[in-house]
Amino acid sequence: MTYNHYPKCAIACIWLFANSITVLIAQPAIPMPDTVSGNVIDLTLANSSKQFFNGFNTSTIGYNGSYLGPTIILNKGQEVTMNVHNNLSDTTTTHWHGLHVAPMNDGSPHNPILPGTTWSPGFTVMDNAATYWYHPHLHGKTLNQVLLGAAGLIIVRDPEEEVLTLPRRYGFDDFPLIFQWQHFDAASKQIILDDVADNTTLVNGVVAAPYLNVPAQVVRLRILNASSRRFFEFGFNDNRSFKQITSDDGLLNAAVSMTRLMLGSGERAEILVDFSGQEGNTFFIKQFGSELPAGYPGGDVGMMGGTLGPLDNKDFNLLQFNVVASTSNPVTTMPGALTTNVVYPAAGAANFNVRITGFPMMSQTNFTFNGVQYDPAVINMTTNQNTIMTWTITNQSMMPHPFHIHGNHFYVLSIDGATPPANLRGRKDVVIVPPFGGTVKLITQYLDFGDPDIPYMFHCHILSHEDGGMMGQFIVNPSTTGIQKLENDNKIFAYPNPAQNYINIKLNSAVSIISKVVIVNTMGQTVYSHQFDSAVIQASTQHLINGSYFINVFSGNHVLTQKLVIE
Ligand code: C2O
Ligand code: CU
Ligand code: CU
């Protein structure tokens, strides 16, 4: 694991001219989260505290620090083992939001990490270059743990993105921006664990419209809405246009010019902003809450009624950009074409219908899918590996819901029957379903990781809704053609076998921890060797030529062997 430190800027004073009154205010710079990379990533989740407001210690939790977590940088095709140490007094999980991993590696409510223990999923990074994130996902505790600070970004790089002329120097022309809404108690400045009356916005954990120095050139902003409930309607104070280059899980076909960007909870977007020739000037990225449709959290309450939070339906500055001297080798041009997204063919796809309703009907807090609340013991839907699925989500409630599916990206086919706008036509994993009968149709296909036992989740990414039961789960059964799960006399449980790019291995005794996996070819040569500390692991077999091998699985002082076929 490599661990890089970026300058944590101190407090700076700037002159701010507001309504022709000159006010001297102390305004903080936002930090760039540290980065971690390599084949082994260590994350420690622990209780901490942070001074968001001078003189007040606010209780928090963070990954490897007091609030939020390091940015994990991964390369497509690499193997990674994540060691997630839980030093909280509570159980937790850590979910790799947007990554295409097996259900057992996903960090869903089915992968609990007990206090004082370490969870070590290992997997191959199969995703396209984009900005993903990680956060806890324990049922009923997600809102609490995320709002207290447990969240971080994942940046995936790949060779296709690498050859485009885009800013990609982290902290210099490529800036991660984690936007959040929080509700701080007025007197104690503690984080209130609800999302009803949020009164503060933060960027990278800093409150009250902090600043960021940006060079006078094209810069890339990787934006995450990590709030529980509220939407952002982003724009600049000078109404400049900017270009969106990615949706949640990958590049768009071409950069999309826009002056406003709406993100619901859990959504990400990378945008390019051209500050060329503007050295010495100051700009703001703003929340245009007054422009959100009525009923969208952060906008007007609309027909939902209920409480208007202190910053709802308002326009205000989120982050100030001070344009400074350009870097060496600046990017000065905006790209056009970026990639070709190939949408799955819809003909003959199996369809899932998901109907969103209030529970009871007029409830403003509790919602269900198809009339049922989440039950960990109930599998709501079942599909098969390789089956193309469309999902038709109909929202019969009075508010929008950011709908999220685990395990794979999807494409949005239509929103209220119409082709989605260009910036929603790339790979996505969260989609906003409009209220009052709004319908979204999406399409996806799970080519890997069939697991008859562990489901993937789908849920509303408004965390209070998710914790309240607006979540379901589906099983992707392993394909029966060619790829089969193989049971081996109560010993090794390895699937698929024959394998192609990876093999999942667990020992049939649930308590056995796998410490090492060694794969040898028929000549006895070691072709794969990797250490683990986990009950379930995934080994990459991408580099193995077709043929027969033996897997040796080490646990304590035992080693178990099984034949493996690579096809
Ligand atoms: Cu970001 Cu299931 O969540
Ligand atoms: Cu997710
Ligand atoms: Cu919801």
Side-chain angles (χ1 to χ4, degrees):
M1 183 177 69
T2 59
Y3 208 83
N4 300 318
H5 293 272
Y6 291 85
K8 292 241 163 59
C9 307
I11 302 293
C13 289
I14 63 125
W15 288 94
L16 187 90
F17 298 88
N19 305 323
S20 32
I21 303 162
T22 308
V23 195
L24 181 67
I25 57 157
Q27 194 197 29
I30 57 164
M32 292 294 106
D34 290 338
T35 60
V36 290
S37 57
N39 293 106
V40 180
I41 305 286
D42 286 303
L43 296 174
T44 300
L45 198 51
N47 290 300
S48 187
S49 74
K50 181 179 158 85
Q51 290 213 357
F52 294 95
F53 300 92
N54 282 337
F56 292 90
N57 285 318
T58 302
S59 298
T60 56
I61 62 181
Y63 287 99
N64 300 1
S66 63
Y67 189 78
L68 301 177
T71 299
I72 300 172
I73 300 196
L74 300 173
N75 292 306
K76 184 176 181 176
Q78 79 163 86
E79 275 183 63
V80 66
T81 299
M82 305 284 199
N83 294 314
V84 188
H85 312 282
N86 178 11
N87 282 352
L88 303 172
S89 46
D90 238 338
T91 302
T92 190
T93 81
T94 293
H95 168 55
W96 321 108
H97 179 130
L99 294 190
H100 178 51
V101 297
M104 65 183 175
N105 294 328
D106 185 56
S108 81
H110 297 280
N111 314 120
I113 316 172
L114 300 177
T117 68
T118 299
W119 178 59
S120 300
F123 53 87
T124 304
V125 179
M126 300 174 70
D127 301 277
N128 285 359
T131 305
Y132 303 83
W133 65 304
Y134 59 95
H135 62 79
H137 213 304
L138 191 71
H139 184 52
K141 286 289 179 69
T142 299
L143 177 142
N144 286 19
Q145 294 181 347
V146 172
L147 287 190
L148 286 172
L153 291 177
I154 300 171
I155 294 176
V156 175
R157 304 193 184 284
D158 73 16
E160 188 190 10
E161 186 271 349
E162 206 73 43
V163 298
L164 297 170
T165 305
L166 295 173
R168 63 175 64 79
R169 287 172 287 176
Y170 188 89
F172 294 94
D173 60 6
D174 179 349
F175 301 99
L177 300 177
I178 302 174
F179 286 90
Q180 290 175 295
W181 288 84
Q182 287 277 24
H183 182 187
F184 286 96
D185 179 74
S188 68
K189 302 297 185 199
Q190 297 305 309
I191 294 169
I192 297 180
L193 295 176
D194 70 34
D195 56 11
V196 180
D198 292 349
N199 54 11
T200 308
T201 57
L202 300 89
V203 191
N204 293 357
V206 181
V207 299
Y211 79 84
L212 175 67
N213 288 341
V214 288
Q217 63 203 57
V218 175
V219 303
R220 178 183 198 158
L221 307 177
R222 296 174 183 265
I223 300 177
L224 162 68
N225 180 353
S227 313
S228 170
R229 169 185 293 265
R230 281 173 171 74
F231 288 57
F232 283 101
E233 178 79 5
F234 295 104
F236 285 83
N237 64 310
D238 60 350
N239 269 319
R240 67 176 53 216
S241 66
F242 49 88
K243 291 203 169 185
Q244 186 174 341
I245 55 168
T246 66
S247 50
D248 300 326
D249 302 325
L251 291 165
L252 295 168
N253 287 346
V256 178
S257 220
M258 55 215 299
T259 56
R260 292 290 186 274
L261 167 68
M262 187 202 288
L263 292 183
S265 173
E267 286 189 292
R268 292 87 65 207
E270 296 174 16
I271 64 169
L272 300 181
V273 188
D274 191 357
F275 291 112
S276 301
Q278 294 167 338
E279 187 178 345
N281 292 319
T282 287
F283 301 96
F284 292 91
I285 192 166
K286 295 182 63 168
Q287 160 75 342
F288 287 95
S290 72
E291 297 179 19
L292 281 169
Y296 279 53
D300 201 356
V301 288
M303 289 176 70
M304 277 295 280
T307 337
L308 196 65
L311 295 178
D312 290 345
N313 202 23
K314 294 203 164 89
D315 304 340
F316 56 91
N317 295 334
L318 293 166
L319 175 67
Q320 176 178 330
F321 294 102
N322 297 331
V323 185
V324 299
S326 58
T327 64
S328 58
N329 303 316
V331 173
T332 55
T333 53
M334 289 286 203
L338 297 166
T339 190
T340 305
N341 283 293
V342 181
V343 179
Y344 310 101
N351 186 56
F352 285 163
N353 283 311
V354 179
R355 192 171 38 88
I356 298 170
T357 51
F359 170 79
M361 193 57 199
M362 299 297 279
S363 168
Q364 295 177 10
T365 46
N366 289 310
F367 299 90
T368 57
F369 294 134
N370 296 332
V372 294
Q373 283 190 292
Y374 175 67
D375 178 343
V378 173
I379 300 299
N380 304 92
M381 297 163 183
T382 300
T383 187
N384 295 316
Q385 203 177 314
N386 301 330
T387 297
I388 297 181
M389 297 180 271
T390 53
W391 293 54
T392 307
I393 305 127
T394 309
N395 182 358
Q396 296 177 342
S397 78
M398 295 182 292
M399 68 178 294
H401 299 275
F403 184 83
H404 172 50
I405 305 180
H406 282 215
N408 199 23
H409 63 272
F410 54 72
Y411 289 103
V412 181
L413 292 177
S414 64
I415 301 176
D416 292 342
T419 305
N423 68 316
L424 300 180
R425 275 183 239 155
R427 293 177 164 207
K428 294 277 294 164
D429 61 56
V430 180
V431 62
I432 298 167
V433 189
F436 300 112
T439 301
V440 169
K441 194 162 181 181
L442 50 87
I443 192 161
T444 187
Q445 181 183 29
Y446 287 61
L447 289 170
D448 317 290
F449 310 130
D451 186 326
D453 304 316
I454 310 177
Y456 283 119
M457 318 308 292
F458 60 94
H459 58 91
C460 175
H461 220 289
I462 292 180
L463 303 180
S464 51
H465 294 182
E466 174 191 337
D467 280 341
M470 196 179 183
M471 180 156 73
Q473 48 193 2
F474 63 103
I475 285 281
V476 178
N477 274 315
S479 157
T480 47
T481 51
I483 299 170
Q484 289 162 23
K485 169 170 129 172
L486 193 142
E487 302 266 4
N488 162 297
D489 299 344
N490 292 320
K491 288 176 186 162
I492 303 171
F493 181 72
Y495 60 100
N497 188 1
Q500 288 168 334
N501 292 333
Y502 30 77
I503 184 150
N504 304 309
I505 301 168
K506 57 189 176 189
L507 297 173
N508 254 359
S509 148
V511 293
S512 301
I513 296 296
I514 297 171
S515 53
K516 190 159 87 165
V517 171
V518 175
I519 302 177
V520 295
N521 62 20
T522 48
M523 322 239 307
Q525 295 162 325
T526 297
V527 292
Y528 174 96
S529 175
H530 200 94
Q531 303 219 323
F532 298 93
D533 181 17
S534 179
V536 282
I537 67 98
Q538 184 175 85
S540 169
T541 52
Q542 248 169 350
H543 62 296
L544 300 184
I545 56 168
N546 292 351
S548 296
Y549 296 86
F550 291 99
I551 327 174
N552 298 288
V553 181
F554 294 78
S555 180
N557 48 9
H558 297 275
V559 57
L560 300 167
T561 300
Q562 180 180 300
K563 197 171 160 197
L564 165 71
V565 176
I566 302 292
E567 268 188 351

